[in-house]
């Protein structure tokens, strides 16, 4: 398989805090990968480095066989890396339709209106089309945020806690919609998630972060059962002898 | 299509006014039109969420550019003056915009104010430009055509109206498309705009440039009406007037700036006629009333009326 994104020896520290300690990861095309870890483990820092928001102290990030370290978020977005945010980043005073229309127009869709209709349908947002984005319930705002990120030019979709601050009974429904849309668009997905049920259900591969490093990487079955992950990420009591 | 029809009606009314109205009304209409064009530019800028308290800079540049053409180079053609003024405003905005487009909110407002006051300071100090007195300008022809005395101003009003209507139509087109939505997007959330792959800086820069060119044009039109320029054109109270008119009209329509400018000029004329000592207070009270009772501007009244009809 060919890797869409490859990180090689990424290092980043904020003062005395090491947010990335020599991280090397490769992501294959058309896979769904979940990044897990406690707060401060370095998951969001990793996303921020990939999207150009933060510059790693050293290391390379190859996207489509091109080193993207040093490019701005805008330039990286133009290459096909899209992201959603933990706190949805919307155009609050505009309606849902205009939010998507702006996204599709910037992405250079041939027919932005048609692309917007398709996005509304794909994300089940049609009933909200004319509602102001700032007044929507959180779950819908989350969906709209992802819908705006996933435009016609996306190749890699990064989701930062797509189900945080959404009620437990909505989480699966939202993820079903998001993953269905991502699959239909044929993009690679990397998502940061704290809910292990969501991780187990939707990820094909799980990467566990701890203290700026990677402590486990593999299928959900193996990673979620690993002692180190249970101890440092999930917070289970692990018998000492087993550790 | 609707916009074209509205533009045609507006132009016809303005031409009728230019041909039939008494001189004092023609003069007032020219001033109102000049300010309307400046405020049109301000409205474009406000779509990105930025208010410039220094549009007097470009208003003054336009006025002085027109006056200098007549004074230094003896070019007395109004068409040349208007075009040169718009170009001068656009050019300076293209330069200063490189800096200003990086700033937002109060920093943008204050920096634009500071730049206009720098020009004011320069003009006041330069004896060659008549310092605080300014100097006169004479425009006698339009595209080489000469007119009987008394007709000039009427012709200039028609020409100014035609240009203003075209400018308003172009702005209407621009804001009704992707660019207008993108400007609102920049106002709402620049982070998201960047992460969609567009440059907020570029949007602000281009809108600033448009505002500068329109203000330059307005400055020349006002100078043609008055026949005189002085540093007052760049003073902060002049810039404040433009913001006043923008708030009075509201930013949701491209007709609003012109209607508001006409109301403003009428209000000022009446106030200074009947209450010469307190005319500024009258304007202040009008502003207070607008902000308290009609914060989206007078245009929202028209919108409400249209919706109920």
């Amino acid at each position: 398989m060919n890797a869409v994104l490859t990180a090689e020896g990424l290092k980043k520290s904020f003062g005395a805090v090491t947010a990335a300690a020599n991280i090397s990861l490769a992501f294959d095309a058309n896979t769904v990968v979940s990044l897990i870890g406690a707060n401060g483990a370095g998951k969001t820092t990793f996303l921020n480095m990939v999207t150009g928001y933060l510059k790693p102290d050293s290391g390379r990030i190859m996207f489509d066989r091109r080193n993207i370290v040093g490019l701005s978020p805008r330039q990286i977005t133009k290459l096909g890396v899209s992201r959603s945010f933990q706190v949805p980043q919307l155009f609050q005073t505009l309606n849902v339709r205009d939010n998507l229309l702006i996204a599709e127009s910037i992405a250079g869709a041939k027919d932005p209106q048609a692309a917007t209709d398709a996005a509304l349908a794909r994300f089940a947002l049609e009933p909200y089309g004319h509602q102001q984005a700032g007044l929507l319930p959180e779950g819908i705002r989350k969906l709209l945020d992802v819908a705006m990120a996933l435009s016609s030019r996306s190749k890699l979709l990064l989701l930062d806690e797509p189900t945080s601050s959404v009620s437990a009974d909505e989480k699966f429904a939202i993820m079903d919609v998001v993953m269905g849309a991502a699959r239909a668009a044929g993009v690679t997905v990397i998502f940061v998630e704290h809910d292990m049920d969501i991780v187990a259900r939707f990820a094909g591969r799980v990467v566990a972060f701890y203290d700026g490093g990677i402590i486990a990487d593999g299928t959900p079955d193996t990673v979620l059962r690993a002692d180190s992950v249970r101890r440092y990420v999930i917070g289970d009591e692990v018998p000492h002898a087993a550790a | 299509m609707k916009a074209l029809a509205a533009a045609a009606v507006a132009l016809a009314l303005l031409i009728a006014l230019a041909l039939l109205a008494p001189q004092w009304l023609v003069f007032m209409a020219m001033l109102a039109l000049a300010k309307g064009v400046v405020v049109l530019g301000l409205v474009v800028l406000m779509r990105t969420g930025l208010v410039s308290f220094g549009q007097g800079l470009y208003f003054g540049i336009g006025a002085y550019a027109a006056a200098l053409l007549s004074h230094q180079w003896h070019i007395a053609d109004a068409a040349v003056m208007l075009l040169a003024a718009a170009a001068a405003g656009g050019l300076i905005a293209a330069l200063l915009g490189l800096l200003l487009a990086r700033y937002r909110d109060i920093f943008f407002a204050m920096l634009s104010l500071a730049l206009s006051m720098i020009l004011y300071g320069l003009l006041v100090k330069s004896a060659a430009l008549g310092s605080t007195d300014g100097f006169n300008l004479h425009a006698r022809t339009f595209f080489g055509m000469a007119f009987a005395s008394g007709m000039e101003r009427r012709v200039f009003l028609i020409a100014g109206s035609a240009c203003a209507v075209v400018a308003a139509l172009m702005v209407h087109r621009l804001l009704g498309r992707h660019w207008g939505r993108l400007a609102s997007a920049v106002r709402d959330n620049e982070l998201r705009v960047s992460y969609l792959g567009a440059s907020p800086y570029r949007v602000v820069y281009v809108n600033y440039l448009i505002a500068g060119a329109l203000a330059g044009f307005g400055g020349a039109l006002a100078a043609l009406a008055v026949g005189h320029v002085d540093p007052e054109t760049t003073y902060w109270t002049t810039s404040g007037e433009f913001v006043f008119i923008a708030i009075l009209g509201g930013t949701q329509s491209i007709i609003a700036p012109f209607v508001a400018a006409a109301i403003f000029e009428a209000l000022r004329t009446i106030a200074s006629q009947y209450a010469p000592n307190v005319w500024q207070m009258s304007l202040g009270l009008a502003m207070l009333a607008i902000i308290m009772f009609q914060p989206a501007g007078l245009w929202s009244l028209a919108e409400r009326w249209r919706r109920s009809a």
Side-chain angles (χ1 to χ4, degrees), chain A residues 53 74 89 93 105 145 153, chain B residues 187-189 192 195-196 198:
Chain A
Y53 190 73
R74 181 167 61 89
Q89 297 295 320
T93 65
S105 301
D145 194 45
R153 77 174 159 202
Chain B
R187 179 193 64 208
D188 275 9
N189 193 337
R192 181 38 111 185
Y195 273 99
L196 289 173

Side-chain angles (χ1 to χ4, degrees), chain A residues 190-213:
Chain A
I190 302 175
F191 70 106
V192 171
E193 185 56 65
H194 283 296
D195 187 323
M196 294 307 143
D197 295 335
I198 298 277
V199 172
R201 164 91 176 268
F202 292 99
R205 172 187 167 198
V206 180
V207 179
F209 282 68
Y210 179 72
D211 214 8

Side-chain angles (χ1 to χ4, degrees), chain A residues 51 53 73-74 77-78 83 85 89-93 101-102 105-106 145 148 153, chain B residues 178 181-182 184-200:
Chain A
T51 56
Y53 190 73
R74 181 167 61 89
T77 304
K78 279 180 155 172
R83 77 167 288 180
F85 296 81
Q89 297 295 320
L90 312 173
F91 305 126
Q92 308 274 12
T93 65
L101 189 54
I102 289 166
S105 301
I106 294 175
D145 194 45
M148 286 167 77
R153 77 174 159 202
Chain B
H178 173 52
R181 281 190 295 271
L182 191 56
S184 304
V186 169
R187 179 193 64 208
D188 275 9
N189 193 337
E190 290 192 28
L191 182 74
R192 181 38 111 185
V193 171
S194 294
Y195 273 99
L196 289 173
S199 162

Side-chain angles (χ1 to χ4, degrees), chain A residues 44-199:
Chain A
T44 299
T45 299
F46 180 74
L47 289 196
N48 283 340
M49 287 191 290
V50 171
T51 56
Y53 190 73
L54 290 173
K55 198 173 175 218
D57 298 335
S58 64
R60 290 200 309 170
I61 302 171
M62 306 297 289
F63 177 73
D64 256 2
R65 288 184 288 282
R66 177 178 171 184
N67 188 2
I68 57 171
V69 168
L71 298 184
S72 70
R74 181 167 61 89
Q75 291 167 318
I76 291 173
T77 304
K78 279 180 155 172
L79 294 175
V81 179
S82 313
R83 77 167 288 180
S84 74
F85 296 81
Q86 189 179 348
V87 177
Q89 297 295 320
L90 312 173
F91 305 126
Q92 308 274 12
T93 65
L94 306 181
N95 67 30
V96 170
R97 201 189 157 77
D98 279 350
N99 269 269
L100 286 168
L101 189 54
I102 289 166
E104 290 295 347
S105 301
I106 294 175
K110 274 204 191 82
D111 183 350
Q113 297 284 356
T116 300
D117 288 332
L120 282 169
R122 211 182 311 134
F123 282 88
L125 288 169
E126 282 146 327
Y128 304 96
H130 293 284
Q131 290 187 25
Q132 196 183 321
L135 305 175
L136 296 169
E138 188 63 16
I140 305 300
R141 290 162 55 78
K142 285 276 195 186
L143 269 183
L144 178 57
D145 194 45
V146 178
M148 286 167 77
L150 184 65
S151 70
S152 36
R153 77 174 159 202
S154 310
K155 295 177 189 144
L156 173 64
L157 181 63
L158 308 172
L159 308 172
D160 195 354
E161 303 197 19
T163 68
S164 71
S165 62
V166 171
S167 69
D169 48 332
E170 273 184 306
K171 286 189 176 189
F172 278 91
I174 286 180
M175 283 303 280
D176 274 332
V177 172
V178 168
M179 289 303 168
R183 212 175 303 121
V187 298
T188 306
V189 180
I190 302 175
F191 70 106
V192 171
E193 185 56 65
H194 283 296
D195 187 323
M196 294 307 143
D197 295 335
I198 298 277
V199 172

Side-chain angles (χ1 to χ4, degrees), chain B residues 36-55:
Chain B
V37 175
V38 182
V39 176
L40 180 67
L42 199 52
V43 164
V44 172
L45 198 52
M46 283 164 108
R47 279 290 173 95
T48 56
L50 293 169
V51 181
S52 163
F53 277 97
Q55 283 312 90

